[in-house]
Each structure stands twice: as structure tokens, then as C-alpha cells.
Amino acid sequence: MVSDTEGSFDWLSLDEGEEVVWQGIPHKSSLVPALVVGVPLSLLLVGIVIIATAYLQRENTEYVVTTDGLYRKSGVFSRNVQRVDFGKVQNTTYTQDFFGTRFGYGTVGISTAGGAGVEISFDSVPNPKDVQELINKRVKGGGSDAPEDKEAVLDEILQELRAIRAVMEEEPPAGGDAS
């Protein structure tokens, strides 16, 4: 499931140094609900439309997690690409319906700062709990909040505070007559 083949995505433009951590498409079993409804209705031709629509949506949807953010590409006749940076992610959830629980797929929802509800969702992904955990690890460990960076900043602050203290503790120069 991990890939470093950034060139295989003609729709994805990565920033310099950004790498693909995970990629996926909707689980093939996510077509089961459309088949359950569509096959009996295929005599009325409505079922064929239901099955074809579900298949085309599945085939034209891709999800990517990179070192910097989340991407979702969808669209049958047009292309819609969404990106959410890890710095904006506030909450992640995953859900599984009846078929998802049976066949091992579900939806991972990502909420962002300032957004109302789910900003981007990875629908019908295999092992949604694993995908959610991967995203959560990237959110918590991403950016410039690495422990080394925090220690360096704290050391700089400590040095500045010591310098300020030294200046404050110096005795004011002995005052002489201003004659």
C-alpha cells in the first residue's frame, strides 16, 4: 500500500521534497450495494445505470497521503482534486456501514480548522482504521514540531533570558555630580 511512485499520478503536483506515503482507491467490494440494488432493477434498465455509475465513480476516484497533506481525486467526466495540509487537520473519523464491516472497507472523514464538518473524505477505503491511524500519525508528527526543533528553540529562549537577566542584575553605574 505504500508507494513512492509520484510520477504515476498525472493529476497530482507535489511540492519539492513531498513524497507519497499511501495511495488507494475505493475497495472493489464497495460495488456490492450497487449490485444488490441494480441487478434486480436491470430489467427496467435503471439497474444498469446504477451499476455503471457506481463502477465509474470507483474507477475514477483516487486517494493519496503524502508527507505534507491529503489528496482526493474524483470525477467521471471532469476532474476534481482536493488537498488538505496536515497543519489544518483538526479531527479524523472513520465509519463502516453494514457492507463495509463485512467486506473490510469504510469512510475516513477529515475535518479542518475553520471548516464546518468533514472537509475531505476517503470513501470506501480498505482498512479505514489503518488509514485513519496513518493520517493521525502524520498530523501529530508532521511539520516543524519535531522534538529537535523544539529543543533548539527552547535553548535559544533560555540563552536570551539569561542575557536579559545578566543585564538586569548589573548595578547601575555609580552616580556622580553633574556639575
Side-chain angles (χ1 to χ4, degrees):
M1 290 170 94
V2 175
S3 172
D4 58 351
T5 57
E6 294 118 21
S8 66
F9 302 106
D10 62 339
W11 57 271
L12 185 61
S13 58
L14 300 177
D15 294 336
E16 189 174 324
E18 186 176 11
E19 296 177 11
V20 173
V21 176
W22 177 87
Q23 66 186 37
I25 62 172
H27 195 280
K28 61 184 173 186
S29 295
S30 65
L31 295 174
V32 170
L35 291 171
V36 167
V37 172
V39 169
L41 292 176
S42 62
L43 295 174
L44 302 174
L45 298 178
V46 174
I48 295 171
V49 173
I50 292 171
I51 295 168
T53 301
Y55 177 77
L56 288 172
Q57 284 178 339
R58 180 188 174 276
E59 290 299 310
N60 290 291
T61 301
E62 294 181 58
Y63 311 113
V64 175
V65 177
T66 68
T67 51
D68 293 345
L70 308 163
Y71 295 84
R72 174 193 166 129
K73 181 202 64 112
S74 60
V76 176
F77 299 111
S78 62
R79 182 177 290 173
N80 179 22
V81 178
Q82 290 177 278
R83 176 188 169 143
V84 171
D85 292 327
F86 286 125
K88 294 184 179 181
V89 174
Q90 289 290 331
N91 189 31
T92 61
T93 60
Y94 84 91
T95 57
Q96 291 180 288
D97 61 13
F98 174 78
F99 290 108
T101 303
R102 302 296 175 267
F103 295 108
Y105 67 88
T107 298
V108 177
I110 297 101
S111 301
T112 60
V118 174
E119 178 77 21
I120 187 172
S121 66
F122 290 2
D123 301 318
S124 304
V125 292
N127 306 312
K129 181 181 178 194
D130 294 343
V131 175
Q132 181 197 30
E133 288 175 356
L134 172 72
I135 293 169
N136 287 341
K137 285 179 187 173
R138 302 297 314 172
V139 168
K140 291 177 184 171
S144 62
D145 292 333
E148 309 87 46
D149 293 340
K150 287 182 180 178
E151 288 179 27
V153 169
L154 290 175
D155 284 341
E156 279 183 40
I157 292 171
L158 184 59
Q159 288 174 359
E160 274 192 52
L161 288 173
R162 286 182 178 153
I164 292 170
R165 182 178 181 184
V167 168
M168 297 299 290
E169 288 180 345
E170 284 182 7
E171 300 261 343
D177 282 322
S179 22

